[in-house]
Amino acid sequence: MEIRGKFLALVSLGFAATINMSGCSSNPQQNALPADSTVVALGDSLTYGYGADLEMAYPMVLSELTTWTVINAGVNGDTSADVLARVEEVAKKAPDLVLLGVGGNDVLQRIQPETTRTNINATIDTLQSQDIDVVLIAEPYFSTSALFGKASDNPIYKEIAEAKKVPLYSDGWSEILSDDTLKSDRIHANATGYRQFAEGLYEYLKEEGVAQ
């Protein structure tokens, strides 16, 4: 865990509570967001909730669990370039937190991983430059075998999270999209799957000290 120098161990608990979130830590890194916070879930069809009624999409379920206002900014078919093109619009809303999940369509469209990495990095840079916290959400690497078996996270997300020092919620989508009972098709969750994802993300955000 990065703690910006050993001397921080000597400062008061009041100062320690202001340390920003770290992608490598399982300990709370900031004060939990209050109930009236605005959070944007930015991403593709997994954020949008394709395959289920929109009120069952994970941002809606997360809103119920946290009592935050969670804006669903997921768009079916969006690639990392599409999300990058929309991030300024999201930043103008001045949310307290952005949950960023994109990249699966890049793999399906055979976009070069370096292009995906560049786009996600630029999206995070835009948000961080305006003091907006980001939690990155890993998506599966949709290989041919993964479509018919067990999905696993694309390793690009861990690399990005470490480089940008943002928290990474890993394995959530991979676990759900490896279970046929939680899917509406080969690459999307059903209502039960979206709820399970939201519950898992909520537990992770509590562990990180972001949610209560």
Side-chain angles (χ1 to χ4, degrees), residues 195-210:
R195 174 162 287 277
Q196 181 170 309
F197 178 85
E199 290 172 348
L201 177 58
Y202 177 49
E203 290 302 317
Y204 172 77
L205 293 174
K206 288 196 292 183
E207 290 173 4
E208 288 291 317
V210 182

Side-chain angles (χ1 to χ4, degrees), residues 182-194:
L182 300 176
K183 297 193 293 185
S184 61
D185 58 31
R186 291 175 183 172
I187 59 174
H188 296 103
N190 57 24
T192 303
Y194 287 121

Side-chain angles (χ1 to χ4, degrees), residues 132-150:
I132 298 171
D133 287 326
V134 180
V135 171
L136 185 61
I137 297 173
E139 294 194 354
Y141 186 88
F142 290 119
S143 63
T144 301
S145 59
L147 294 176
F148 297 94
K150 182 173 176 56

Side-chain angles (χ1 to χ4, degrees), residues 117 121 136 154-164 168:
R117 184 197 311 275
N121 281 337
L136 185 61
N154 190 330
I156 193 174
Y157 296 102
K158 183 177 180 180
E159 297 165 2
I160 293 170
E162 290 177 349
K164 293 299 178 182
L168 173 66

